[in-house]
Amino acid sequence: MSRESSDSKPIAEVRVGPDLFHALCWVASALAVATLAWIIYEIVTSAWPAIQKFGFGFLGSSSWVPNREVFGVFPFIVGTVASSFIAILFAFPLGLAIAIFLSENFLPAPVRQVIRFVVEMLAAIPSVVFGLWGIFVVIPIIKIFGDWAVKNLGGVPIFSGPAYGNSMLTASVVLALMILPTVTAISRNALTAVPKTLREGAYALGATRWEAILGVILPTAAPGVVAATILALGRAMGETMAVAMLIGNSSRLSWSLLSPGGTLAGLLANQFGEAEGLQVNSLMYAALILVVITLFVNVLGELVLRYTQSQTAGIR
Amino acid sequence: MTEDAARSSATQTPGRPDFLTVRNFDFFYGKKQALFDINMDIPEKRVTAFIGPSGCGKSTLLRNFNRMNELIEGVHYSGDIKLLGQSIYNKEVEVIALRRSIGMVFQKSNPFPKSIYENIVYGLRISGEKKKSVLDEAVERSLRGAALWDEVKDRLHESALGLSGGQMQRLCIARAIANRPKVLLMDEPCSALDPIATVKVEELIHELKQEFTIVIVTHNMQQATRCSDKTAFFYLGKLIEYAETQKIFSNPGQKQTEDYITGRFG
Amino acid sequence: MDNIVTHAPDFFSNSQAEATKAIARSLWNRVLTSVCVALSLLTLVPLVSIIYLVLKNGLPLLSWSVFTQLPPAAGMVGGGFGNAVIGTIVMVGIGLLMSGPLGILSAIYINEYAPASRLAQAVRIVAKLLTGIPSIICGVFAFAIVVSTTGRFSAFAGGVALAVLMLPTILLTSEQALMGVQSAFREASYGLGATKFQTIVRIVLPDALPAIMTGIMLAVARAAGETAPLIFTALFSQFWAKSLSEPTASLSVLIYNFSTVPFPHQIQMAWTASLVLVAFVTLANITAQLVFSKKH
């Protein structure tokens, strides 16, 4: 539409083109906003029969038996939350360490560039490839660890046997790798946003490098690091394929990390293709719950991030 | 102004003239040489001002006294700097101990986003001081020393970021003297302050030289005449002239110095 | 600063105790540095492992014929994933056709026409929220509006799902791209008597184009690797697709399907497909960064 309104055209058309373009941009914006509402509307209406039939009991019920038309997602909610939190437990210290590593000069710049590239590569690898890799690498390792843990630490509920390869722990370990780039990137931004003068101030008072990092830089960057963690948690909760391929997709609740579990996203991935009738409605209900949880976590993360930015603006 | 400086030096007992010494000192940022063969003796319990146009090396030299320049990658030096006859580059000198004995105040005040109290005791805490009585005593002594006690004594546990610009800078001075340093380095401490806050900091410098050896970098020649005893003029990385402040400003020995202080360049 | 001092640095310390403490502090500093470096280098292990296995298991079957043949039936050998490559390209193309204009036009509106308007603020918030929506929800949405209404799985449904997935990336990176255009350019254009429209089309868009392309490349790379939005919208097919309204194969769904079967040949084909996918995604990412860095 840009060509149509070049200078050689008559004046009347020159007026029409720009106005049309302005209107078009407005329509596009309105459509973009409508998309989110539309998504939620479609999911709610499709889920409606299940919402009416099961109500809030759907959230607390543990049985998912399609051929008897009994549906409840409690184990999947637990699995979603648990796998994400365990993943954060692994990814947080690692991601923070890498963020610090990237913002300090422990090793020469080229080495830091390599690590940075590696972390960005992790973000680019498709979920399904993580899943494939997990099946052939992580599952055998977790199985060996699991057998050892059951034998030696079996008394602890989270290590009670029997140990499976397709387990909560396997899914969490791979999830941790997948969210590592998110934790690292946002934490690194928070760290580098800390004014250089604060670091100099700490050094000038006789602080060692790590006293400056732990006592001044990290506390100043803390809200940003928290935001990074929350946003990564949101990502982990919505992550589908790798988890579906590794977690075992069981609706049985277990305390053990070495037992199979299930997540909301995994449930959708596994059952949508062949679902019919009330099962579709129930899956839509499960999707709605997933949307609500992830939106809540993401909004929280964004709010913390905004708060952080306003805080660091005050220091500058 | 010069009378003022003369009076203050007359009332003080003279300390060691070679408290801090610089010998044949060259300094490089990568391949670029920033300082050329600097030699000078900085006297004890006096205020020594470094003046000169931007990029003349005065801040670079100041930042070598507490080895802050080492934070920049690719810097190197030759020659020596000695505090009380002991090389600050001696391998046995732990740089963290050195920085405790040579405190620094920066151009832009940089209080940590912590309470006023925690800012002051930071240096003590990292070196392992835990006794509350010692910390409390240090807070009061340092804040009084920085002429800030009366203004903040009722809100010691509020955030330091709530102070005015001038108060923040005096807090940073208090934070530096809480470490009981031997030397206090000031890198254009008033350049971001309004005239009233500047006067307060300058008065404070007068008080502080009773106890500390002070080296101050300044762009403001009135400030150098008001508060220093000796002045060093730097130009293009070289020490051009170094003498009593009174002499530098009334009867400079070098043409370049005269051109600079009369405002012909810089 | 990281040097360990073996000799008590008592000269500058106020006391011997403080000097001893300083040595301990230095040592602790060194320990923490080592831990931090070790943890950072540890991330190399999984990535190297993934790349190594994808190459080792994927290369043997890689040949021109895998791009031209249909997937092997269960237990059979030979074949390829030509239909999946085409399916992925077609569905990403449909997604881009829908989300590209929508995202770029919205970005123009919120950055050029009415940056402070309520609509613009709403667009920014919604785009941020859409980035946080799990990719499988895009599939659920496409299932609801396309599969349920047409009664069949189709490439079109897959494309719609990918469009929703790509929209926020394209929108937000385009906005960034437009913000990166110096306001001096706009002012100069207005100063010469140009209208807003002329300024946008002749000055702003050409200058922002490389960065917008970067956003598009990133969105394409991400969409090409996604499985969740396609798994129950486009489903899968063993055959060449004849239209956009029938189940369509994609590389990512092929990897998923073949990774869980008990046939070694299919599993190896999954690795080969992974190799193709990872190579494409990496290439797209690197191109995106090169295009971007050329501008800045």
Side-chain angles (χ1 to χ4, degrees):
Chain A
M1 67 224 70
S2 60
R3 297 254 166 73
E4 291 164 3
S5 61
S6 75
D7 293 357
S8 56
K9 298 270 174 182
I11 289 168
E13 258 177 78
V14 175
R15 285 289 316 151
V16 172
D19 288 345
L20 195 70
F21 186 71
H22 190 163
L24 215 57
C25 290
W26 185 89
V27 170
S29 298
L31 266 177
V33 174
T35 309
L36 183 65
W38 192 10
I39 291 173
I40 293 172
Y41 169 80
E42 284 293 339
I43 295 176
V44 170
T45 45
S46 309
W48 195 246
I51 296 174
Q52 277 188 315
K53 176 147 188 212
F54 302 115
F56 282 114
F58 188 73
L59 280 72
S61 157
S62 297
S63 45
W64 183 277
V65 193
N67 41 17
R68 281 200 283 123
E69 298 217 319
V70 176
F71 301 103
V73 288
F74 184 66
F76 299 103
I77 294 176
V78 172
T80 301
V81 174
S83 60
S84 309
F85 269 95
I86 299 165
I88 285 285
L89 231 50
F90 294 125
F92 175 74
L94 209 54
L96 190 57
I98 299 168
I100 291 173
F101 174 85
L102 292 177
S103 59
E104 296 284 329
N105 58 349
F106 297 130
L107 293 181
V111 182
R112 301 203 300 268
Q113 280 295 320
V114 169
I115 298 290
R116 205 178 151 182
F117 178 73
V118 163
V119 175
E120 278 170 14
M121 273 287 287
L122 278 179
I125 289 179
S127 177
V128 71
V129 176
F130 269 108
L132 185 65
W133 175 76
I135 290 174
F136 292 97
V137 176
V138 184
I139 284 183
I141 295 174
I142 296 288
K143 182 81 175 84
I144 293 167
F145 167 79
D147 289 336
W148 175 88
V150 169
K151 209 192 237 166
N152 298 285
L153 307 163
V156 189
I158 56 167
F159 292 126
S160 58
Y164 291 85
N166 288 78
S167 64
M168 187 65 94
L169 186 59
T170 308
S172 303
V173 166
V174 176
L175 258 185
L177 275 177
M178 298 178 72
I179 59 174
L180 193 61
T182 310
V183 179
T184 306
I186 305 178
S187 301
R188 183 173 160 272
N189 284 346
L191 289 173
T192 47
V194 175
K196 210 180 90 213
T197 52
L198 287 191
R199 172 192 295 266
E200 288 188 331
Y203 282 145
L205 291 167
T208 64
R209 185 202 288 264
W210 279 93
E211 282 162 358
I213 293 172
L214 297 176
V216 175
I217 298 168
L218 259 187
T220 311
V225 175
V226 171
T229 313
I230 297 173
L231 290 173
L233 189 68
R235 258 215 72 188
M237 287 176 161
E239 189 46 59
T240 310
M241 295 322 295
V243 177
M245 291 162 85
L246 300 170
I247 202 167
N249 301 303
S250 155
S251 63
R252 255 195 50 227
L253 275 172
S254 166
W255 279 107
S256 176
L257 297 181
L258 306 168
S259 298
T263 65
L264 288 168
L267 177 74
L268 300 178
N270 281 318
Q271 304 210 348
F272 239 115
E274 289 144 13
E276 277 173 2
L278 190 60
Q279 192 182 356
V280 172
N281 308 127
S282 303
L283 288 170
M284 286 290 182
Y285 195 175
L288 180 64
I289 295 166
L290 180 60
V291 170
V292 170
I293 296 178
T294 49
L295 274 186
F296 173 76
V297 171
N298 275 294
V299 168
L300 191 69
E302 281 298 326
L303 288 179
V304 175
L305 203 58
R306 279 195 191 175
Y307 167 79
T308 315
Q309 280 153 2
S310 66
Q311 283 300 97
T312 22
I315 300 171
R316 274 157 196 279
Chain B
M1 291 297 156
T2 46
E3 281 171 19
D4 197 29
R7 184 161 18 90
S8 64
S9 22
T11 51
Q12 252 185 294
T13 49
R16 267 179 82 150
D18 58 346
F19 194 71
L20 188 60
T21 60
V22 185
R23 289 288 173 270
N24 307 324
F25 194 76
D26 295 323
F27 187 80
F28 304 81
Y29 292 110
K31 289 206 171 71
K32 188 180 171 292
Q33 186 160 3
L35 291 173
F36 297 83
D37 196 31
I38 307 291
N39 285 284
M40 69 191 300
D41 288 357
I42 290 168
E44 185 178 9
K45 294 187 181 171
R46 286 281 183 278
V47 178
T48 303
F50 287 5
I51 61 168
S54 301
C56 68
K58 56 193 192 303
S59 282
T60 302
L61 181 60
L62 191 80
R63 285 168 159 263
N64 267 304
F65 291 150
N66 64 346
R67 293 171 62 177
M68 284 299 277
N69 277 336
E70 287 175 19
L71 300 177
I72 304 162
E73 276 171 272
V75 297
H76 57 109
Y77 73 95
S78 68
D80 205 0
I81 296 174
K82 287 182 171 155
L83 176 63
L84 284 162
Q86 178 89 2
S87 171
I88 65 162
Y89 289 103
N90 190 320
K91 277 277 182 286
E92 289 164 25
V93 173
E94 183 60 62
V95 71
I96 58 179
L98 172 74
R99 290 191 186 137
R100 287 206 64 191
S101 34
I102 302 185
M104 186 167 211
V105 177
F106 296 83
Q107 187 170 356
K108 217 174 144 269
S109 65
N110 54 354
F112 303 133
K114 300 170 185 281
S115 69
I116 294 170
Y117 186 97
E118 284 304 320
N119 263 283
I120 305 282
V121 300
Y122 181 82
L124 296 167
R125 278 206 201 279
I126 55 173
S127 52
E129 186 56 66
K130 291 193 184 70
K131 274 200 224 95
K132 189 162 184 308
S133 58
V134 177
L135 298 178
D136 287 347
E137 188 273 328
V139 169
E140 181 166 350
R141 167 176 58 79
S142 314
L143 284 172
R144 282 191 192 284
L148 194 58
W149 175 252
D150 291 326
E151 291 163 59
V152 302
K153 65 180 176 213
D154 300 321
R155 46 171 171 151
L156 290 176
H157 295 283
E158 286 172 29
S159 170
L161 300 181
L163 297 173
S164 72
Q167 288 173 325
M168 278 194 201
Q169 193 59 300
R170 279 181 284 142
L171 176 71
C172 292
I173 294 174
R175 190 172 69 178
I177 63 181
N179 270 348
R180 291 186 184 279
K182 299 179 175 72
V183 180
L184 203 52
L185 309 174
M186 296 186 165
D187 192 354
E188 298 187 37
C190 302
S191 66
L193 301 182
D194 61 54
I196 295 168
T198 301
V199 169
K200 282 197 174 168
V201 171
E202 285 180 6
E203 284 170 359
L204 179 57
I205 291 171
H206 255 295
E207 292 298 316
L208 289 171
K209 75 172 178 183
Q210 312 291 330
E211 201 180 339
F212 305 102
T213 302
I214 295 174
V215 186
I216 178 170
V217 165
T218 179
H219 257 116
N220 179 333
M221 273 167 286
Q222 278 74 40
Q223 183 167 62
T225 55
R226 280 196 298 267
C227 56
S228 73
D229 302 300
K230 292 192 83 171
T231 295
F233 171 62
F234 291 84
Y235 184 57
L236 297 175
K238 297 191 175 79
L239 175 59
I240 305 297
E241 190 169 356
Y242 177 42
E244 295 296 322
T245 299
Q246 211 176 340
K247 178 176 182 301
I248 290 263
F249 284 95
S250 58
N251 184 20
Q254 301 286 328
K255 180 79 170 57
Q256 283 162 315
T257 315
E258 191 179 345
D259 286 351
Y260 181 69
I261 60 174
T262 53
R264 243 168 263 167
F265 72 91
Chain C
M1 167 138 334
D2 291 325
N3 295 335
I4 297 183
V5 176
T6 47
H7 198 275
D10 44 17
F11 184 78
F12 290 108
S13 302
N14 292 331
S15 67
Q16 187 59 44
E18 195 185 299
T20 318
K21 186 92 198 211
I23 295 174
R25 287 166 60 200
S26 273
L27 270 170
W28 180 233
N29 191 49
R30 189 36 91 80
V31 168
L32 286 175
T33 299
S34 312
V35 170
C36 183
V37 170
L39 283 179
S40 304
L41 296 181
L42 195 68
T43 47
L44 287 168
V45 176
L47 187 81
V48 168
S49 163
I50 292 173
I51 301 289
Y52 171 75
L53 285 177
V54 166
L55 285 173
K56 176 176 163 261
N57 297 331
L59 275 177
L61 278 189
L62 188 68
S63 65
W64 182 242
S65 64
V66 294
F67 294 100
T68 58
Q69 294 181 10
L70 290 172
M76 305 296 281
V77 293
F81 39 70
N83 62 340
V85 172
I86 292 189
T88 294
I89 293 172
V90 166
M91 286 189 282
V92 171
I94 295 173
L96 186 59
L97 275 180
M98 288 192 262
S99 62
L102 196 63
I104 295 171
L105 290 177
S106 310
I108 292 174
Y109 184 79
I110 66 173
N111 200 62
E112 302 296 324
Y113 280 114
S117 66
R118 276 210 176 145
L119 180 58
Q121 284 166 349
V123 170
R124 287 190 195 99
I125 293 171
V126 165
K128 261 270 179 278
L129 292 177
L130 280 176
T131 52
I133 287 224
S135 61
I136 193 159
I137 296 301
C138 303
V140 171
F141 174 63
F143 182 90
I145 64 167
V146 183
V147 179
S148 290
T149 42
T150 60
R152 60 193 344 173
F153 301 102
S154 64
F156 180 69
V160 168
L162 292 183
V164 178
L165 183 87
M166 294 159 93
L167 177 65
T169 312
I170 293 181
L171 204 169
L172 290 172
T173 47
S174 299
E175 191 203 2
Q176 287 291 328
L178 295 171
M179 285 200 302
V181 177
Q182 290 178 34
S183 51
F185 288 174
R186 294 190 185 90
E187 283 158 18
S189 175
Y190 291 134
L192 293 169
T195 64
K196 185 148 216 164
F197 177 70
Q198 288 167 329
T199 305
I200 292 173
V201 171
R202 303 199 166 185
I203 305 293
V204 176
L205 278 183
D207 194 56
L209 200 63
I212 293 176
M213 289 306 292
T214 302
I216 289 178
M217 291 297 276
L218 290 175
V220 165
R222 204 185 143 207
E226 277 289 348
T227 316
L230 302 179
I231 195 167
F232 47 80
T233 52
L235 215 65
F236 190 71
S237 163
Q238 295 282 344
F239 310 105
W240 299 101
K242 288 181 205 68
S243 77
L244 296 181
S245 55
E246 57 185 83
T248 304
S250 60
L251 274 178
S252 53
V253 175
L254 177 129
I255 298 168
Y256 175 64
N257 286 349
F258 280 13
S259 68
T260 45
V261 296
F263 311 112
H265 181 71
Q266 264 84 342
I267 288 174
Q268 198 160 19
M269 194 139 279
W271 283 107
T272 306
S274 297
L275 174 60
V276 173
L277 201 53
V278 169
F280 171 74
V281 169
T282 310
L283 214 64
N285 272 300
I286 290 174
T287 321
Q289 287 188 359
L290 287 183
V291 171
F292 190 70
S293 61
K294 212 174 246 175
K295 198 205 156 199
H296 292 264

